[in-house]
Amino acid sequence: MVRWILATRPKTLPMALAPVIAGIALAVAQTGRLAPLTALCTLLAAMAIQIGTNLHNDAVDFERGTDGPGRLGPARASAEGWFSARQVRLAAHLAFAIAFVLGIALLWRGGWPILVIGLASLAAGYAYTSGPRPIAYGPFGELYVLLFFGLAAVGGTYYLQTLSFGWTPLLVGLALGLPAAAVLVINNYRDLDSDRQAGRRTLCHYLGRARARLLYTLLLLLPIPILLLAGIPANPWPLLAALPLALMLASTLLRGAEGRVLNQQLARTALYQSALTLLLVVALAL
């Protein structure tokens, strides 16, 4: 059971939950109302899609030879021999099926916009490492993360609570999607050499290490002014507390951190997105 939990990559789950929590908090702050069952189903569906994507990625990367004995990142279930790639893929299908059932429940609440977002999220989860041109093996992985871990997650959650759209949730989604994309930049920056050997041409491959470091810094710093100018119904200044965290993370990479040290950097970058969400909730509560 412990190995199955590790196979789901639990450290990545805050990336899926944080934008949903932000969307719920923003909706409650603007309307004064909460749809609790809808909020719970949204959180569970986001978590199921993330787990399914992680497991599917685990199996496919092993079969493609991307995850080998010299892997720098955390242990993967298929590569470590904990489970066969077929078992991991079946577990991924189960997680996606759970997300689909939860999506049907949300469909009753949100109608066709939620159908579009839900089906696109499921399709993207499979397409991330599957198909003739997997998203994760090209230069558009960061864009995928920005769209689905930012704009779609916050905007879709906000819509499910309020049944309306607006610029503010989209700007909040953009702000929270940027550090999520920074997590992928760190992941691909760490694995750049092995990815090239496996034929994986990520955005870091095209940018090179120096420009990838600058991109990472921008992805951490830009969310703060975006949130300050997003028009959230609260005093946004508590969000400035995120600035020292962003500068600390950026300076670590700019000073030349590499190898397995970047595993900690990756985890801290994911926590930075959670910290931004927490500060947003605090601002809304105040």
Side-chain angles (χ1 to χ4, degrees):
M1 180 58 71
V2 173
R3 285 182 171 178
W4 274 118
I5 293 173
L6 292 175
T8 66
R9 305 183 201 176
K11 290 183 179 180
T12 67
L13 296 184
M15 285 178 54
L17 299 179
V20 174
I21 292 170
I24 293 170
L26 181 61
V28 172
Q30 288 190 331
T31 66
R33 296 189 301 273
L34 171 69
L37 185 58
T38 299
L40 178 62
C41 287
T42 309
L43 285 165
L44 292 175
M47 189 163 61
I49 291 174
Q50 178 65 34
I51 289 173
T53 302
N54 287 343
L55 291 170
H56 192 63
N57 174 256
D58 186 306
V60 173
D61 275 355
F62 173 71
E63 291 174 338
R64 288 178 181 268
T66 306
D67 287 347
R71 174 181 168 79
L72 295 174
R76 294 288 178 257
S78 301
E80 295 293 325
W82 296 344
F83 312 104
S84 68
R86 179 177 177 275
Q87 288 176 306
V88 175
R89 187 182 285 102
L90 286 174
H93 294 334
L94 176 61
F96 284 132
I98 292 171
F100 182 78
V101 171
L102 290 166
I104 292 175
L106 294 173
L107 183 61
W108 286 102
R109 167 78 175 176
W112 69 266
I114 298 306
L115 176 64
V116 173
I117 293 173
L119 291 178
S121 298
L122 286 172
Y126 276 110
Y128 188 68
T129 48
S130 291
R133 291 190 175 183
I135 297 170
Y137 285 68
F140 300 113
E142 285 78 5
L143 178 61
Y144 157 85
V145 170
L146 176 61
L147 289 175
F148 289 98
F149 287 85
L151 295 169
V154 177
T157 300
Y158 179 88
Y159 176 79
L160 280 167
Q161 289 292 316
T162 65
L163 299 182
S164 64
F165 290 107
W167 283 108
T168 298
L170 291 179
L171 287 172
V172 172
L174 173 63
L176 294 181
L178 291 173
V183 172
L184 187 59
V185 170
I186 281 290
N187 183 79
N188 293 339
Y189 183 93
R190 180 199 62 204
D191 297 339
L192 182 57
D193 294 333
S194 60
D195 282 349
R196 283 171 171 167
Q197 292 174 2
R200 193 170 180 171
R201 298 295 183 257
T202 62
L203 184 59
C204 283
H205 165 78
Y206 291 103
L207 291 177
R209 291 196 182 274
R211 282 181 288 185
R213 289 193 291 268
L214 293 176
L215 173 63
Y216 175 76
T217 302
L218 286 174
L219 292 174
L220 295 179
L221 292 175
L222 282 177
I224 298 172
I226 291 173
L227 288 172
L228 290 175
L229 300 173
I232 62 174
N235 186 339
W237 299 113
L239 292 159
L240 286 175
L243 183 57
L245 300 175
L247 292 173
M248 180 185 68
L249 288 169
S251 65
T252 300
L253 191 63
L254 290 172
R255 288 198 305 266
E258 59 183 23
R260 288 189 169 85
V261 173
L262 294 176
N263 291 334
Q264 294 180 347
Q265 183 79 359
L266 189 150
R268 289 168 181 164
T269 305
L271 288 175
Y272 174 69
Q273 185 206 36
S274 299
L276 272 175
T277 303
L278 177 61
L279 290 169
L280 174 64
V281 171
V282 168
L284 293 170
L286 292 176

